[in-house]
Amino acid sequence: MMNIDSQNEQVPRESGALAPEQRPAQQGKTNKIVREVLSWIELIAIAAGLAFLIHTFIFQPVRVDGPSMSYTLLDDEYMIVTKYDYWLGEPERFDVVICRYPGRGRTNFVKRLVGLPGDTVSMLNGTLYVNGEAVDEPYITNHANYDMEAVTLGENEYFVLGDNRSSSNDSHLVGTLSRDQIRGHVRLVVFPFSHFRVIE
């Protein structure tokens, strides 16, 4: 009876078949590629999540569109708008804010917050009055060309005006805003770089 030594037996291989010692090397290379792809997907997901959180809760850049805030803000300037301060606290009178109007969806507007809940706001001969007192507004170069009877704001009502009083679609036309329509606080102009400044 013939004995066969399986360790020395020569078995012909089919053309194109991998030798046993080649298979682990190729499999290891495939696993490495898969791990790298998954790592990139994880990094992209983390970056997207951080960008969403920053944009929603911390700050965002916004472009000025139109002349309604001249000369505090100019058309096509880019400003930094913070969100966290209005998540943690309340808007203050004369803040420059990003807001939304009733019936205008997610369109953002930039205006100055001149009236808080409980305030009485009016306009006479181009001068703003809050609670019966004339307001000194050194940032105004284009005064209002309209008069406005006194409006007393309710518990959840805010009044906004553009600094370009003679050319602004604001609360004297669209009415008061609710607290959830005040979306952010304008802090800086950052572009063009030559226009960099703090907004007050």
Side-chain angles (χ1 to χ4, degrees):
M1 179 179 295
M2 182 180 294
N3 293 324
I4 299 176
D5 185 349
S6 60
Q7 295 180 352
N8 296 322
E9 182 182 9
Q10 299 297 316
V11 180
R13 292 197 302 270
E14 295 181 6
S15 176
L18 294 174
E21 62 273 11
Q22 291 179 299
R23 290 172 189 155
Q26 184 167 353
Q27 187 175 6
K29 186 176 180 181
T30 301
N31 289 342
K32 183 178 179 182
I33 292 172
V34 170
R35 286 195 302 271
E36 287 183 1
V37 169
L38 291 176
S39 177
W40 276 106
I41 291 173
E42 183 180 11
L43 286 173
I44 291 170
I46 291 171
L50 287 174
F52 173 79
L53 290 174
I54 290 170
H55 182 275
T56 303
F57 298 107
I58 302 177
F59 71 89
Q60 72 178 104
V62 178
R63 184 178 69 87
V64 179
D65 184 11
S68 72
M69 282 296 290
S70 298
Y71 285 89
T72 302
L73 296 167
L74 302 178
D75 188 34
D76 278 339
E77 289 184 326
Y78 280 81
M79 52 194 173
I80 294 296
V81 177
T82 58
K83 306 289 190 69
Y84 60 86
D85 37 358
Y86 290 167
W87 284 98
L88 301 174
E90 293 299 318
E92 297 182 4
R93 189 183 291 111
F94 306 125
D95 283 355
V96 177
V97 302
I98 295 297
C99 54
R100 291 179 180 166
Y101 288 172
R104 296 295 296 270
R106 298 177 63 84
T107 302
N108 289 319
F109 299 86
V110 57
K111 304 295 173 186
R112 190 175 295 273
L113 181 59
V114 301
L116 302 176
D119 284 347
T120 297
V121 180
S122 61
M123 188 78 68
L124 181 63
N125 297 326
T127 299
L128 173 68
Y129 290 82
V130 177
N131 300 325
E133 296 186 5
V135 179
D136 179 24
E137 298 184 285
Y139 42 80
I140 299 296
T141 55
N142 293 320
H143 292 272
N145 55 4
Y146 59 87
D147 288 341
M148 183 181 68
E149 294 185 4
V151 176
T152 299
L153 304 178
E155 183 178 347
N156 187 37
E157 291 184 319
Y158 296 78
F159 204 93
V160 297
L161 293 174
D163 284 357
N164 183 358
R165 296 284 160 79
S166 63
S167 181
S168 178
N169 181 32
D170 49 38
S171 284
H172 91 278
L173 295 174
V174 304
T176 61
L177 306 182
S178 60
R179 174 65 180 83
D180 63 349
Q181 291 172 312
I182 309 298
R183 310 295 296 182
H185 189 180
V186 178
R187 294 294 195 173
L188 301 168
V189 169
V190 294
F191 189 84
F193 298 125
S194 59
H195 292 191
F196 180 91
R197 62 190 182 277
V198 176
I199 298 300
E200 297 180 354

